[in-house]
Amino acid sequence: MPKRFLLIAFIVLISYLSVFASTVKLEVLSHPSGADIFIDRVWRGTTPQVLYIAPGKHQIQLEKFGYSPSTEEFDLRLSSVAEYNLTPEREITKNYPLVIYLVNYQSAGDRTVLYKEQEKELVQALWNRFTNMGFNVTIETPKDEFDLVLDKESIYLDIEKKYPQSGMFFFIDSLWTFSSFQQKRVTRLETTLKVYDPKSKVTLGTFKDTAESVGQMSPDIVVLEIVERITQNFLDNIGNFLVQIYTKQTNTPILLSKIFDRDVTTATIKNLSPIENLEVVDFSNNLLKTEVNTALDSGINILFVVDRSGSNTKYSEVIKQQMDLILKNLPKRIRWGILAFDDKVEVIQSFTEDYSRWTAAKEKITNAGMTRLHDGLFNAAKIMEREQGVNVIILLTDGIDADYLDAAPGSIKSKKEGIDALKTAGVVVYPVGISEKNFTNFMKELALEFGTFYSDSFRHNNEKIATDILQDIVQSIAIVKTARIDNPSFYINGRKFYLSVNGRNLLNQEMIDMAVYKTAYGDLSIPVESHTTPAVPILPVEPVDTIATAPGTLTALATLVQETTAATAVAVDFSTSTDAVMPPATVTADTRLETSEQPTKTVPDIAVTSPVPVPQATVTSEALIQAIQWPEGFNQALELRFSELYDLDPHGHFVWTERSTGYLWIRDQMKLLGIDLKEMPVMIDLCYPYLAVL
């Protein structure tokens, strides 16, 4: 009996060891983190991630929204760590000409002296690294010892004056020390990097690094090490900032559809914020007679596209709860339906206005099978093409198609085919993540394509998600009818927008002048226009009392005007700091809202529909703008790695969020305001002095 027991135990042990030996540990890291990992085209989560895969030859690919993908072939035999630096896309980096001011020195007793011996190697390594990332790099170094005694503020102002077109400054202090250990040379290099944004006059981060090496090659080795650490600090802390600001700059109003019916042109427009007024002009800037309708006036069709695959079994209640909150708050005259997908795609509820149908429909949301996400989107687009009015899709999924998993085949249609079909159908898509681990890069891509925002049921309040989506649908979409015109221009909230060459994005003059738009949407040759007060408002909404707000803004919002800064907000006077990393403003920015040229009216009357009242979430102004208790030694430098959302307006005012607090830097006043947001927002939008937080 004991022998038989030992034999069985031995067999079990051998089986366990054989299974364990059939996989090899692979730790995947990236700078910045949050990149999607694909091993042999199979999605395996996001970085940082520890994986166990079969030994042998594999392909690894890392993808992150706003960054160039990184692909590598490797032969895995032993446990390994794979670490990658992700580079922002070239369209982003080329819009940030980079100036590096490098001070390379040694300490000689109580004195600091320039160290020229290794300066050339360090300059060349920095230039190579950031040029390869797509930046246009210029490197300055002190000319003589006198430059070392200049204060930082004077250096900043001198560099700003010399390079007015620069998009970012690096100020690097590198200190070399040499010693010996057991008759071997020890080289130590300490660096301090300050990343400075000349537009907002804000130091985006301060990073210190140290590298050491022993031997004759030690100076070359520490140069390579320190450049690698500078790169990773930059990507971890500043990379996402660049991507998000670029995304904000390239996010435009969208012409969802343009229909010609005899002598009438009907255009459906999705704006990025509530539409207050909307007008149409011809090529000569003559105002055309228009009829403007809200989305509710035109009829709204909402199709819930629901992921009911087996991988989301434990999240089915999250999906149902989120849908229930939206359905309960639907205004009258909105039709809704449900399309579900797993390893098949089917309509489980046809369009209706009857909320009672939800009781039976939600019983059909049972999770099983694989995920045909892309097929679901494609079929949803085909369904919506047949519907009249404003068509909206609310997508509830983890964003992962089974095509990215090796368990079974996924969608027949590709991701591109699904997105293209949605664009052709003229729909608006609101992606909502329903899992603890969502394919967020794809969801954010969808939100950008359709002028909306990505919501996460695990990170954001479900009631707030429902409110934000419904209010955005009702307030930011409008339909305008006018006499037939092939290439109309639009005045949206007083700003003139031109139709881009792709026929979908609407660009104002400021956008057209920016290189990012020439890259994304094509160059347009349009004369610069003068700007005056806009014409008659069409969809007015009353502002909130005590705090002047952008009309029609949502749950948590604040207008931060200059008059309120002294009375209710903490004011940090950076110009008095003895160790300032933000120099005082040298030019007072014009903080007035940009408006556009008033069009010439060729007809006396404009058909205007009365606005439909929109259910507003309660907005309270008490303690909205709060004094902030700064920690001792606060040095005016941001730690962007802890920030979630950013926006930067054309005048250099800068807003960012950190957990449930929003910060607004008013450049021309050198004031920093803190705003208690109560909850993590899904989107912020700054058009100073208006700040909208969703």
Side-chain angles (χ1 to χ4, degrees), residues 168 197 204 237-245 640 646 654:
M168 186 170 297
D197 176 22
L204 302 177
N237 295 275
I238 313 299
N240 289 339
F241 164 78
L242 297 183
V243 169
Q244 196 167 131
I245 294 299
L640 292 187
Y646 320 93
F654 181 41

Side-chain angles (χ1 to χ4, degrees), residues 221-377:
I221 293 172
V222 295
V223 165
L224 295 176
E225 288 183 1
I226 213 70
V227 169
E228 182 69 12
R229 291 175 187 177
I230 287 174
T231 302
Q232 292 178 352
N233 268 324
F234 171 75
L235 292 172
D236 288 338
N237 295 275
I238 313 299
N240 289 339
F241 164 78
L242 297 183
V243 169
Q244 196 167 131
I245 294 299
Y246 173 82
T247 301
K248 279 280 197 177
Q249 291 172 337
T250 54
N251 205 2
T252 70
I254 295 171
L255 180 64
L256 295 173
S257 66
K258 184 173 64 173
I259 301 173
F260 299 110
D261 184 11
R262 296 182 181 178
D263 296 329
V264 177
T265 298
T266 302
T268 303
I269 292 175
K270 170 69 176 73
N271 198 31
L272 305 178
S273 59
I275 297 178
E276 304 166 49
N277 60 355
L278 176 60
E279 296 171 315
V280 184
V281 295
D282 61 17
F283 186 78
S284 300
N285 208 42
N286 295 314
L287 183 66
L288 303 179
K289 184 175 181 179
T290 58
E291 174 186 340
V292 180
N293 295 295
T294 65
L296 278 176
D297 290 333
S298 303
I300 300 173
N301 306 302
I302 296 179
L303 181 64
F304 293 93
V305 179
V306 180
D307 185 346
R308 61 176 188 182
S309 59
S311 60
N312 292 322
T313 300
K314 64 179 181 179
Y315 307 117
S316 61
E317 291 305 315
V318 176
I319 296 173
K320 293 175 184 178
Q321 181 185 21
Q322 188 66 74
M323 293 176 65
D324 188 60
L325 288 169
I326 296 173
L327 289 170
K328 280 182 177 178
N329 291 281
L330 282 184
K332 294 182 179 178
R333 293 179 295 149
I334 292 184
R335 301 165 68 233
W336 61 275
I338 304 174
L339 176 75
F341 62 89
D342 38 40
D343 47 13
K344 58 182 179 297
V345 181
E346 63 177 344
V347 174
I348 61 175
Q349 174 60 59
S350 57
F351 283 107
T352 180
E353 295 182 26
D354 188 357
Y355 173 77
S356 65
R357 297 284 188 90
W358 167 235
T359 302
K362 65 183 175 183
E363 297 301 321
K364 300 177 184 179
I365 303 178
T366 55
N367 297 82
M370 301 308 298
T371 313
R372 292 175 58 188
L373 169 59
H374 303 153
D375 288 346
L377 294 176

Side-chain angles (χ1 to χ4, degrees), residues 384-397:
M384 298 307 259
E385 278 184 341
R386 301 194 293 266
E387 302 298 326
Q388 301 294 318
V390 175
N391 295 322
V392 175
I393 288 175
I394 299 178
L395 174 64
L396 298 109
T397 179

Side-chain angles (χ1 to χ4, degrees), residues 315 318-319 321-323 395-397 431-436 438 454-462 465 682:
Y315 307 117
V318 176
I319 296 173
Q321 181 185 21
Q322 188 66 74
M323 293 176 65
L395 174 64
L396 298 109
T397 179
V432 180
I434 49 85
S435 169
E436 293 177 85
N438 297 304
Y454 165 64
S455 304
D456 190 326
S457 294
F458 276 83
R459 295 180 66 246
H460 304 122
N461 180 277
N462 287 2
I465 291 174
V682 297

Side-chain angles (χ1 to χ4, degrees), residues 59-352:
Q59 181 192 71
I60 184 170
Q61 180 165 337
L62 269 62
E63 296 181 1
K64 184 175 174 66
F65 179 75
Y67 294 82
S68 300
S70 177
T71 304
E72 183 183 27
E73 305 281 345
F74 64 97
D75 191 355
L76 186 64
R77 299 297 177 185
L78 301 173
S79 295
S80 306
V81 176
E83 189 171 12
Y84 299 90
N85 295 333
L86 300 179
T87 304
E89 293 176 348
R90 292 300 175 103
E91 289 78 6
I92 298 175
T93 56
K94 74 180 185 181
N95 285 285
Y96 287 89
L98 175 61
V99 175
I100 300 176
Y101 186 81
L102 172 67
V103 180
N104 202 51
Y105 64 96
Q106 275 186 293
S107 292
D110 296 332
R111 295 179 60 242
T112 299
V113 296
L114 291 177
Y115 179 61
K116 293 292 186 179
E117 190 171 324
Q118 296 297 138
E119 183 179 87
K120 183 178 180 181
E121 289 77 5
L122 185 54
V123 166
Q124 189 65 49
L126 288 167
W127 190 89
N128 289 342
R129 175 59 58 90
F130 286 93
T131 298
N132 290 337
M133 292 171 65
F135 290 97
N136 182 5
V137 181
T138 302
I139 300 182
E140 287 263 342
T141 59
K143 299 297 183 293
D144 51 44
E145 303 289 340
F146 174 76
D147 289 349
L148 295 180
V149 300
L150 290 176
D151 60 281
K152 296 293 185 183
E153 183 177 316
S154 298
I155 295 174
Y156 289 177
L157 295 176
D158 183 61
I159 294 295
E160 276 191 291
K161 184 178 180 180
K162 191 172 182 179
Y163 299 99
Q165 301 303 318
S166 175
M168 186 170 297
F169 295 148
F170 282 7
F171 295 97
I172 302 177
D173 290 339
S174 57
L175 172 62
W176 293 81
T177 56
F178 299 95
S179 59
S180 60
F181 176 71
Q182 294 182 351
Q183 298 182 345
K184 292 184 179 180
R185 187 186 190 191
V186 179
T187 303
R188 178 183 177 91
L189 177 58
E190 300 174 68
T191 61
T192 300
L193 165 67
K194 291 184 178 180
V195 182
Y196 177 71
D197 176 22
K199 187 171 185 180
S200 62
K201 296 186 180 296
V202 168
T203 296
L204 302 177
T206 302
F207 315 106
K208 295 183 178 182
D209 289 294
T210 302
E212 285 186 337
S213 184
V214 179
Q216 293 299 318
M217 296 295 294
S218 58
D220 297 329
I221 293 172
V222 295
V223 165
L224 295 176
E225 288 183 1
I226 213 70
V227 169
E228 182 69 12
R229 291 175 187 177
I230 287 174
T231 302
Q232 292 178 352
N233 268 324
F234 171 75
L235 292 172
D236 288 338
N237 295 275
I238 313 299
N240 289 339
F241 164 78
L242 297 183
V243 169
Q244 196 167 131
I245 294 299
Y246 173 82
T247 301
K248 279 280 197 177
Q249 291 172 337
T250 54
N251 205 2
T252 70
I254 295 171
L255 180 64
L256 295 173
S257 66
K258 184 173 64 173
I259 301 173
F260 299 110
D261 184 11
R262 296 182 181 178
D263 296 329
V264 177
T265 298
T266 302
T268 303
I269 292 175
K270 170 69 176 73
N271 198 31
L272 305 178
S273 59
I275 297 178
E276 304 166 49
N277 60 355
L278 176 60
E279 296 171 315
V280 184
V281 295
D282 61 17
F283 186 78
S284 300
N285 208 42
N286 295 314
L287 183 66
L288 303 179
K289 184 175 181 179
T290 58
E291 174 186 340
V292 180
N293 295 295
T294 65
L296 278 176
D297 290 333
S298 303
I300 300 173
N301 306 302
I302 296 179
L303 181 64
F304 293 93
V305 179
V306 180
D307 185 346
R308 61 176 188 182
S309 59
S311 60
N312 292 322
T313 300
K314 64 179 181 179
Y315 307 117
S316 61
E317 291 305 315
V318 176
I319 296 173
K320 293 175 184 178
Q321 181 185 21
Q322 188 66 74
M323 293 176 65
D324 188 60
L325 288 169
I326 296 173
L327 289 170
K328 280 182 177 178
N329 291 281
L330 282 184
K332 294 182 179 178
R333 293 179 295 149
I334 292 184
R335 301 165 68 233
W336 61 275
I338 304 174
L339 176 75
F341 62 89
D342 38 40
D343 47 13
K344 58 182 179 297
V345 181
E346 63 177 344
V347 174
I348 61 175
Q349 174 60 59
S350 57
F351 283 107
T352 180

